[in-house]
Amino acid sequence: MTSTVAQGGRPGGEPASSRHAGGVPGGGSARLAAALWRRAWLRATLTLTPPLAWFLVIYLASLVVMLVTAFWSVNPFTNTLVHTWTLSNFRQLFTSTYLIIIGRTVGMAALVTVTDAVLAFPFAYYMARLASNRGRQLLFTAVLLPLWASYIARVYAWIVILQKGGTLSWSFQKLGLGAVNIGYTNTAMWLVFSYIWLPFMIVPVYAALERIPDSLLEASGDLGAHNWRTLRSVLLPLALPGVVAGSIFTFSLTLGDFITPLLVGGANSNFIGNVIYSNLGTAGNLPFAAALAVVPIVIMVFYLLGARLLGAFESL
Amino acid sequence: MPTDAPLADPGAARVATGPPAVRLAGLRKSFGHLAAVAGVDLEIAEGEFFTMLGPSGSGKTTLLRLVAGFERPDAGVVELGGTDVTRQPPYARDVNTVFQDYALFPHMNVRENVEYGLRVRRVPRAERRRRAEAALEMVRLTGLSERKPVQLSGGQRQRVALARAIVNEPEVLLLDEPLGALDAKLRQEMQSELKRIQREVGITFVYVTHDQEEALTMSDRLAVFNQGRIEQLGTPVDVYERPASDFVAGFIGISNLLERDGRHITVRPEKIRLLADGEQPPPGSHTEPGRIEDVVYLGMLTRYVVSLADGGRLTAVRQNLDGYAADVLGTRGTSVTVAWRDDLSYEVTPEREEQA
């Protein structure tokens, strides 16, 4: 078709020469489009170069700088960087102070992940398999709406609920259950983290459950399995990749957080993130902060490898 | 009238020992305003290969799901082997289903899929293995036990689904268009396989299909469904040769309906002779003049569409015993006399009025 147009020319059209070039009508942009159509590698290069450049230069380069910094130290008197290689920062990580902090952070991340998985599964199940279309839309809105509000605002709301004489304590007293005072404790952190990251668990679990065909559940019942058995043998194994995908969010988000420990945590609530933060600011020990920042990275690498074994990325 | 009462059941003549494998009485099921099953009474004898045939939306699959227990009827009774199971959940019913999409558990391999029903019923491991092996052998699928369903072809998945159902030795096996997703050649192969398996295990098969050929070749008896009701119940020969309504005539085979003197009659395409000039019809034949409107060469057969001088149009088929495509295609537009033996045409009831 293009060739007939180019040979014959349209009556009253532009000069044939511009359309003749390369046998493609329409000038430069069309020629470019045709060239792109012919060369897949060129298309890939053009589309991927900007994001890859951003990723390589800004993100990976800073990571490398940080890793390098972790092997330097700070002169305690002048507070300037000493550019000699040392493992002292990493050695310091293995002292009991920091092992406790790392243990607390990882333990909390695990606890929050389990809590969210337990809360999210029945909720996502209801959304995916039982709710009407309208009900599903409403529930989706309810799950995602809090994400529109500022993180800080939501954490502060929890402070109001949990603090001494706060909403929770007041309600318990009115019910004659006595005062509860869990503000500024690890319990408070657990509650706030579980609340804040719950949507990140519900959505992937919902996606996994929604993809399971009804016929599989019917087949299980047909073969003699009552509902609990079907849940255990069919529904849970098939939803597991979704749970693992969600746990990547809840685990890594908790692992890297420093605001919630700062705002609702107490005296014994230091997290990896807090310590990094204070070493960057007040202490001004950039190399040690960098060494500490390597810890969550290493943990997440292992976590993601484990998640891959469980098939979490097959559902993405 | 179409027969949907068990009284007219031709299968009543068969040797009746014990209660029927399946008995349905006054069964109804609606989805919103749509009556999917609009009053069905049916008895299926033990060991029978019974087919429910009908177009999509005729209620046959819903009826199967009512028997399996996936749907609960609005009214009526489902009995299995003489026991009322209407209020029992699927897992308490002694039936197994072969699903249209096979519904194999994707996270289990072939053996685990086949053993699932036995494991749920706490059959000991050794016996489980033995029975699963036997079932896989029965469906001629050995050596693939460790494969996951995604690693199997469509035909192999079909066999796994079948093995997974028959391994439980249910009273009744329900098959929901199990061959629908297979290609034509494999489908024919599986048809005779299914027949063989049914003979070997002796389980009652209730088979749902919209494919008339499947229904005719495999069934002991079949029911033709239309709009949630049984239009006709009988052996394949009954239903094909003596369709009770023009719906059945049209759905099974090619609809050859004529209106003559206020009577609706039908005649099967292969019963119609096309007479050459001067050729005498066999005695006792009905003859009519017409014109060949269209000729379709089908390889083994040639199909002729003849428009008749007295109104109406007939399709006739003729085996290509001698002559080549070129010869038969040349007959388009020529006059012809059609003839059929009087006793091979049947009067049918016209399509029932739409019931609001």
Side-chain angles (χ1 to χ4, degrees), chain B residues 297 299-300 302 304 318-329:
Chain B
Y297 177 71
M300 202 194 307
T302 303
Y304 298 85
R318 216 182 199 188
Q319 254 187 299
N320 292 331
L321 292 175
D322 35 42
Y324 293 105
D327 306 334
V328 296
L329 290 175

Side-chain angles (χ1 to χ4, degrees), chain A residues 40 145 151 157 175 216:
Chain A
L145 206 59
Y151 172 98
L175 291 167
L216 289 187

Side-chain angles (χ1 to χ4, degrees), chain B residues 268-284:
Chain B
R268 291 298 181 191
E270 68 279 9
K271 318 280 190 206
I272 300 170
R273 285 162 180 266
L274 304 173
L275 300 180
D277 274 343
E279 188 182 338
Q280 283 303 308

